[in-house]
Amino acid sequence: MAEAVRRYAVVTGANKGVGFGTVKQLASKGVVVVLTARDEKRGLEALEKLKDFGISDLVVFHQLDVTDSASAAVLADFVKTQFGKLDILVNNAAINGSIINPEAFISAATAKLSDSPRIINVSTGAAKLMNFPNGWPKEVLSDAGTLTEERIDSVLNGFLEDSKQGLQDTKIWPPVFPPYTVSKAALNAYTRILAKKYPNFCINCGSPGFVKTDMSFNAGILTIDEGAESIVRLALLPNGSSTGLYFSPKEVAPF
Ligand code: NDP
């Protein structure tokens, strides 16, 4: 493939699970992928595993902890220096109970962008707003027209405050995996803001489905490759495709 049409991707949390599967499939389609992991040893071991698939020439490792904006800045610099542009960002890293730092991942994406970049925020059906009880957090996150970063922050801060005071069980927060669900719902809402702000990007949320990984305690019904397929499909949407949507896993679904 001519260097001019090469596409470059960053996948976060890619040393295992859906992230690893996404790297594998993107590289097998000719995309140059930066496999990132917070732990260098785990990242390099994952890179080693890709040798079995004959695609390791298209994959490089770089450390990234998505909760550490300094490490995102170093990665952004690496992408800029090595490739001069970024076409695809798959914001995949997560833990149960963690709140993703949006600044960290977006700063990686804005190193320098291609003409029509793709950003895929890997989400989950659990974070759908129908799973939120009625109350002000659901109202704020549902009202796409008035969503702002400040309003999302107010939900996250409200949740943190209630958690500190042991009030997570009040009727306004989702009952299942509250920190995970609230942080993913915030990420979904943030996706809608970003999609509006950058209309020439293609920025969507995608759920991989219920996948057998460490996060699901291997209880999922899909293999890692099957889960990654939905994410890769979003990453490779043609120019001018839909943006600001939620895919669960392959169809557009309500937030
Ligand atoms: P895994 O637990 O298998 O993988 C999670 C990855 O994220 C690991 O590589 C982990 O690294 C990494 N990670 C965690 N915290 C950070 C951090 N601070 N910085 C960088 N990397 C980090 O989970 P899955 O593959 O199942 O999940 C991938 C995505 O898919 C997540 O966003 C999840 O919410 C979503 N999802 C998964 C579903 C499923 O059924 N599995 C269902 C719906 C959504 P480390 O090895 O160092 O911990």
Side-chain angles (χ1 to χ4, degrees):
M1 192 186 292
E3 204 54 34
V5 296
R6 272 262 190 258
R7 280 173 299 176
Y8 298 94
V10 165
V11 182
T12 70
N15 54 291
K16 65 178 182 178
V18 174
F20 180 75
T22 301
V23 169
K24 200 170 77 178
Q25 289 181 31
L26 283 174
S28 67
K29 290 176 191 295
V31 178
V32 175
V33 192
V34 188
L35 180 161
T36 70
R38 59 179 161 180
D39 180 272
E40 184 165 344
K41 184 166 173 285
R42 286 197 286 272
L44 290 172
E45 280 168 4
L47 191 65
E48 191 62 29
K49 274 193 212 150
L50 288 174
K51 288 196 175 142
D52 300 344
F53 300 95
I55 46 169
S56 54
D57 284 359
L58 286 169
V59 185
V60 291
F61 167 73
H62 199 283
Q63 194 272 342
L64 172 69
D65 183 331
V66 297
T67 63
D68 173 6
S69 51
S71 87
V74 174
L75 171 67
D77 204 44
F78 172 81
V79 170
K80 198 172 174 181
T81 315
Q82 294 295 312
F83 311 128
K85 66 165 186 168
L86 182 65
D87 299 284
I88 297 164
L89 173 69
V90 180
N91 178 40
N92 164 80
I95 55 167
N96 285 334
S98 109
I99 289 173
I100 307 280
N101 176 349
E103 294 306 323
F105 76 75
I106 200 64
S107 70
T110 52
K112 172 158 185 322
L113 292 156
S114 67
D115 294 339
S116 180
R118 312 278 178 272
I119 299 179
I120 298 91
N121 291 327
V122 181
S123 190
T124 171
K128 278 168 165 275
L129 291 163
M130 68 182 189
N131 295 326
F132 273 64
N134 290 333
W136 71 266
K138 179 176 183 162
E139 274 168 31
V140 169
L141 296 176
S142 305
D143 191 352
T146 60
L147 272 178
T148 58
E149 287 182 40
E150 290 71 28
R151 284 170 71 75
I152 297 175
D153 279 347
S154 75
V155 171
L156 293 174
N157 290 333
F159 178 72
L160 287 175
E161 206 42 55
D162 277 358
S163 301
K164 274 188 215 151
Q165 294 181 23
L167 299 173
Q168 256 186 29
D169 289 341
T170 50
K171 301 270 181 258
I172 56 171
W173 302 113
V176 179
F177 305 128
Y180 179 72
T181 307
V182 172
S183 68
K184 288 285 189 185
L187 183 66
N188 291 350
Y190 186 55
T191 305
R192 300 173 100 173
I193 293 178
L194 284 183
K196 240 192 223 172
K197 194 167 166 185
Y198 301 103
N200 67 320
F201 289 27
C202 191
I203 308 178
N204 291 300
C205 301
S207 166
F210 191 30
V211 186
K212 282 188 222 313
T213 63
D214 289 348
M215 181 171 291
S216 67
F217 304 100
N218 288 300
I221 51 170
L222 301 176
T223 63
I224 285 171
D225 284 341
E226 287 167 338
E229 227 176 83
S230 308
I231 305 304
V232 169
R233 194 186 68 81
L234 293 180
L236 299 178
L237 282 176
N239 285 352
S241 296
S242 311
T243 185
L245 297 178
Y246 177 88
F247 291 82
S248 178
K250 291 201 167 117
E251 307 292 326
V252 175
F255 278 87

